[in-house]
Amino acid sequence: MSKQIISGWGNLFPKLCDIEDCDAYQGLENLLSKQVALRGNGRSYGDSAIGENIVRTLRCSDILDFDEVNGIVTITSGITIGALNSITIKKGWFVPVSPGTSFVTVGGAIASDIHGKNHHKMGSFCDHLVSFDLILGSGDSLTVSCNENSDLFNATCGGMGLTGIITIVRLRLIKIGSAFIRLKEFKTNSLEETLHLMEKNKNEFYTVAWVDFMSERSLGRGIVSVGNHYDNGDLNFERSKAVSIPFNAPNKLLNNWSIRLFNSLYYYKTSSKASLVGINNFFYPLDKIQNWNLLYGKRGFFQYQFCIPSNLGTQGLREYFNIAKKYDQYSFLAVLKVFGEGNSNFLSFPFKGLTMALDFPFNKTSLKMVKDFHLLTQEQGGRVYLAKDRFVTKEVFETMYPDLEKFQKVREKYLAVGRFSSDQSKRLGLN
């Protein structure tokens, strides 16, 4: 065990922690005499993978078995999506649900029940699990699936690492015909047009929109991207080379002026046309910039991702724009997706609605703004994504997740309370 200064991807409030890097899962039960926080590759934005004592599983990164006929892969939980892709894509298989970065571990994907650009078609990551093995608070190991120990499955999927240590995972992949995506991009002039185009293209496999958060004349103008797997191409797959940000940028690099300039350039350089792009370029554009979080400077940043009911539409989304404008805070990145039906996992984030992710530099003013965001999300019957959260309070959290009591009962049943915790779980009253 070593001491390291740790923070979430937002680089907020670094903390000195005791960290145990595990090379194998044997013997981990001996660490459960005290509370531990579980951590993969540290890509959750807030404090969900931080605590006084951390068990990090990143070194447990292996493919144990690959059924290339049926597309079922057996892996250890510390393997990243990118490392998995580098093996499976060449064989004609791909993860059914992918996040916006390939650096997320499979264990983290389960703990967050991640979603992607195809939730309206494929649901969440955990909807495609065959099963996984879990070390409980007692030190015993159980095999868990939607049919076997299903209450523990529903609590672990989206449960932010608070039920046990995920070890071996069996995942069902989707068949692909190439390492390319057939992409169509459409410019829009308003939020209404953006949502209309997303609805029009709801039968496409992947849909996502980038939204200009700063345009005064055309609020919500954006670029709608529609993608489908290209069936008759090359399966050769190479992970993109990346440039690295070596140090924290000046705190004022990302300001209202620079964000407005970037948004205008990005909007006008995009032409509405069809093209073939590699899987990396479509799913993981920011992976080309290692440590891009340092662009926000030493103060760090936070992402606020919310989901609100579909019927609220543009008016529901506009309220967030109005609050940000009131505080003179603008998002460098604003990504809009449409969710399909949610699942039965107790703390899974998606439900049928609209989700938007907004990035803000951390400062006193943005902290005040996010409190208003919380109130608005509550009023609109929405919820905040725990994998991105840093500031939700216990009182707000309890109104957003109606199955919280079921989640806690399962944790008590399997002796997770007092064993698995994080700074986030303490903040949310889950200990």
Side-chain angles (χ1 to χ4, degrees), residues 5-237:
I5 295 177
I6 295 294
S7 68
W9 187 244
N11 285 331
L12 296 180
F13 316 123
K15 178 176 179 176
L16 185 65
C17 307
D18 287 321
I19 294 189
E20 183 74 30
D21 281 300
C22 58
D23 298 297
Y25 294 118
Q26 291 80 11
L28 284 183
E29 63 275 8
N30 297 326
L31 300 175
L32 301 181
S33 59
K34 52 189 174 183
Q35 287 190 346
V36 296
L38 305 179
R39 187 178 181 91
N41 201 21
R43 288 291 168 142
S44 55
Y45 280 58
D47 52 356
S48 61
I50 299 174
E52 284 74 19
N53 303 291
I54 294 175
V55 173
R56 186 161 51 191
T57 61
L58 187 60
R59 292 180 183 174
C60 297
S61 178
D62 295 297
I63 294 181
L64 304 177
D65 184 68
F66 186 8
D67 178 351
E68 296 180 29
V69 176
N70 297 302
I72 295 175
V73 63
T74 303
I75 48 190
T76 52
S77 66
I79 195 170
T80 64
I81 298 291
L84 185 60
N85 285 346
S86 66
I87 301 297
T88 63
I89 290 175
K90 294 174 182 178
K91 303 293 186 179
W93 296 94
F94 185 57
V95 289
V97 172
S98 182
T101 173
S102 65
F103 295 120
V104 170
T105 65
V106 168
I110 295 171
S112 302
D113 198 8
I114 60 171
H115 55 272
K117 300 175 177 68
N118 60 346
H119 189 274
H120 60 295
K121 285 286 188 180
M122 300 296 287
S124 300
F125 188 86
C126 294
D127 297 332
H128 305 276
L129 294 172
V130 177
S131 65
F132 56 84
D133 294 348
L134 191 72
I135 296 176
L136 308 177
S138 63
D140 297 325
S141 181
L142 277 183
T143 297
V144 180
S145 72
C146 59
N147 297 314
E148 185 178 5
N149 301 306
S150 59
D151 58 344
L152 192 53
F153 182 90
N154 293 144
T156 302
C157 296
M160 304 309 294
L162 299 176
T163 60
I165 304 174
I166 301 167
T167 56
I168 309 300
V169 178
R170 301 157 198 92
L171 173 67
R172 185 174 289 106
L173 306 174
I174 59 171
K175 188 68 176 172
I176 57 173
S178 80
F180 292 91
I181 298 292
R182 189 171 65 250
L183 171 67
K184 293 184 289 185
E185 293 183 305
F186 308 91
K187 280 185 182 178
T188 68
N189 294 309
S190 67
L191 192 56
E192 288 79 7
E193 187 181 356
T194 298
L195 285 179
H196 172 73
L197 264 177
M198 296 185 82
E199 172 64 22
K200 184 178 178 180
N201 288 280
K202 66 182 179 181
N203 292 323
E204 306 291 345
F205 202 68
Y206 300 106
T207 60
V208 65
W210 167 85
V211 177
D212 188 347
F213 205 78
M214 300 201 61
S215 176
E216 295 287 347
R217 295 180 181 177
S218 306
L219 180 63
R221 70 178 182 180
I223 299 167
V224 175
S225 299
V226 175
N228 291 279
H229 287 281
Y230 183 61
D231 289 331
N232 301 305
D234 195 336
L235 284 168
N236 289 331
F237 174 78

